[in-house]
Amino acid sequence: MHSQFRRRTAAVVTAVALMTGCAGNAPAAAPATTGSQPATTGSGGDTVRYAAPGSPSNAVTDPHGLLPGESDMVRMALTYDVLTVPGADGSTKPRLATEWQPDETLTKWRITIRGDAKFSDGRPVKAADALFSLRRMGKKAAENFGRMAMFDLDASKVIDDTAFELMTKKPYAEVGKALEGATFVVPEGSDDFGKPVPGSGPFRPTAKGGAQAVVFERNDDWWGPEPPSRFIEVRAVPDPQARAQALLSGQVDLAGGVPATLAKQQEGNSAVRLLRRPGATLYPLVMRMDTEPFDDHRVREAVRLALDRKQLLDTVFLGYGEVGNDLITPKDSSSPANLPERTRDLDRAKKFMADAGLAGGVDLTLHTTTAYPGMDSAATLISQQLADIGIRVKVSLEPADTYFSEIYGRKPFYLSYLGGIPFLDVVRVALTPGSPTNETAWKDPAWFADLDEALAERDDAKRSSLLADLQAKLRDQGGYAIWALSDRLDLAKAELSGVPEGIGFASAFIDQVSLDG
Amino acid sequence: MLQLPRPVGALVRAVLLLAAASAVIFLCTAALPGDAADVLGGGRATAEELARLREEQGLDRPLHVRYLDWLSGVLTGEPGVSLITGRPVAELVAERVAVTLALAVAALAVSIPLTTAVAWAAVRGPRWARPAANTLIVTCAALPQAVVAAALVAWLSAAWGMFPPVSMLPAGERPWHRLDLLVLPVLTLALPTAAYGAALLRGAIADVVARPYVRDAELRGLSPAAVLFRYVLPMIAAPATRLFAVLLGGLVAGTAVVEILFGLAGLGELLVTAISTRDVPVVQSVALLAAAVVVAGLLVADAAAPKAARS
């Protein structure tokens, strides 16, 4: 055994020697970098290394367009200040904007920004920069899902250095929420984003890194709470398994979005900590309300009643999550609480099918993909569960790279994807009547009238209750079946602290991470 | 017929080959469903917004105009900007060349002796070793890289802890500074490549050793080593050089799976992502680079061939 081991080792050593030979011939071997900045390499306590979901190949430097990977969000959130941020509880917290005050019509908002923020080139951050950035986002609507759609940016104007007037197209009481997360502020006039432009965020990107990793150095001029780490290294790693392995082999300190199977294996490993963010992801089952048989309310209800949600949760997400109650944004702060759980009831489901004239069953095609883990197995299991009420489902597995251009919003029956976005964002991207992205063909005029009324309501509690009613109505009459919510699973070194709580944009603000426990 | 001087003829052929390759690559990417505007819109942009995006990106222009535009860009050293990230393609490629080159060259350095040894063993090895070598060739040549990677990780990383299971190159370091991180990716690339190469080289060796003058030399009692170095190796030098040129091209193009599995940002990972995001300027440039490596290798092989045959 021993000699065998040595022989094998010898083979490997030979391979290494061969490679060393090549290295000798390699031109322009960079001078050794260790020593000059020891903190940025290795596992020094002053650097937190984060392997985030994303691909180094499409890492963008423009903060206002499509941010293809989560690593892009994280890099932007370190580099730039945003106007407001979502708190862990789903409520809006100030960041660069300290106040957002409406006039009595709720269409004209005075946004006050802090006066002590500075871009990395020394210029102060002014209201004009903020409005310029919002306008730029407005122009790139196609690439950011129309994030500024509620604003009339042409009519908005700068008041002074620290305040601007933001006009909305209709009375809109949730302006604070609309400014959350992606409203990265860049210097006025920036138009070339081939390289990052100066930011005023808690960190600054350094030239060090290479194709895959970006090393950020603490911005000591930042107005906010001093980040405990001097360096944060953000690395885009496309493969979830590779992210987890990188953490387990000590090559990074935090791995975002790891597979549930691997998380399960690490339960009981004291060197690592499993971080769970409840309700981060859902794969809504979409039924288009303008297509047979889903144009019949009873069929949609039958589908919702036929789902065994617990079985889906346990199979698809290995139990990391909670069963869904058909609410599209159950973690939104305005989501209705205390609604009875919808559970499997095959008798009622069959009765609904019979009432709809489908006692003999119906043949359907359910589209799914492998873009996100478990989407394919979810569709298979759903097809088996629906067979119990006579719905014969053929599962069609589609290529991941065209799923959101060919299937999403087009096919009558498919699995969609939502990652921790607030209710009003879902309304904007998926419930707009007449738009190609209205995936369930939801167009109840009364509902939209109620929505306008809710958004014109000044009283927070009253508005929240109106929004809750809207979500409850969508749950019962809409074209979605939300069968489970999965946790977002991150693996961290045991001594790592300061990882933000909350889902969606909230999870991108990692400036307070620290390896000091 | 105009007879070009030999090196010029070879160069002309190489240029024509590259031009043909670039056209095929372009047509293939054009034939894929959807385009970069669809990707940027994430399925959630309106038709008018998509049309505007296409116009901005120049995607509304006819196919041949886009192709010629790109081609003239490449010839002037400006292969354009990525449709997805807006970054210059040359910069994206330059950042990654080192990783892929290190992987491919190291894999070739491991493959060459391995290929030769296994091919030789299959044809002229001891009687007991021949079936073993042939079985090895047949089974390993067809092994998918993912399987090889899984086996190597299970064996050299999980069981023995010799090498890390993924290869996160520390920020700012060149691949050749961290050879320990390269071992598993390189072996994953090299082992199936060596088996595949041996399958091709085996025939060439069998041909040569069956030649009358080799038999003659053996009968005259020359030592096996003398026969090998004086009569066999010169004859297989040309096919072997050509083979290794093709293998190197295959390695450059084939690093994608390895790079993704081990978390290395190289050209293969760039190519795969660019294909899935329909980032045509990037796809074109990376694919053309891989084609250029093969063609350059073949040129070298052609140049070496007459010399080898003469000696």
Side-chain angles (χ1 to χ4, degrees), chain A residues 50-59 68-71 211-213 235-244 246 256-259 370-373, chain B residues 96 166-168 256-266 268-270 272-273 276:
Chain A
Y50 179 27
S55 158
S57 293
N58 53 22
E70 198 182 308
S71 53
Q212 190 163 42
R235 196 176 268 280
V237 181
D239 183 47
Q241 199 79 25
R243 292 195 293 271
V258 301
T370 51
Y372 298 95
Chain B
R96 291 172 166 75
V166 284
S167 308
M168 303 288 150
V257 175
V258 166
E259 286 169 5
I260 290 170
L261 287 175
F262 289 97
L264 285 159
E269 194 265 347
L270 181 65
V272 168
T273 311
S276 71

Side-chain angles (χ1 to χ4, degrees), chain B residues 19-65:
Chain B
S22 76
V24 170
I25 296 162
F26 191 81
L27 287 174
C28 287
T29 45
L32 290 170
D35 62 12
D38 284 322
V39 173
L40 283 170
R44 282 164 173 152
T46 63
E48 304 83 70
E49 285 173 336
L50 284 177
R52 203 170 57 229
L53 257 182
R54 285 200 178 97
E55 200 188 316
E56 273 172 34
Q57 308 261 24
L59 290 171
D60 54 344
R61 295 172 307 159
L63 208 59
H64 66 277
V65 175

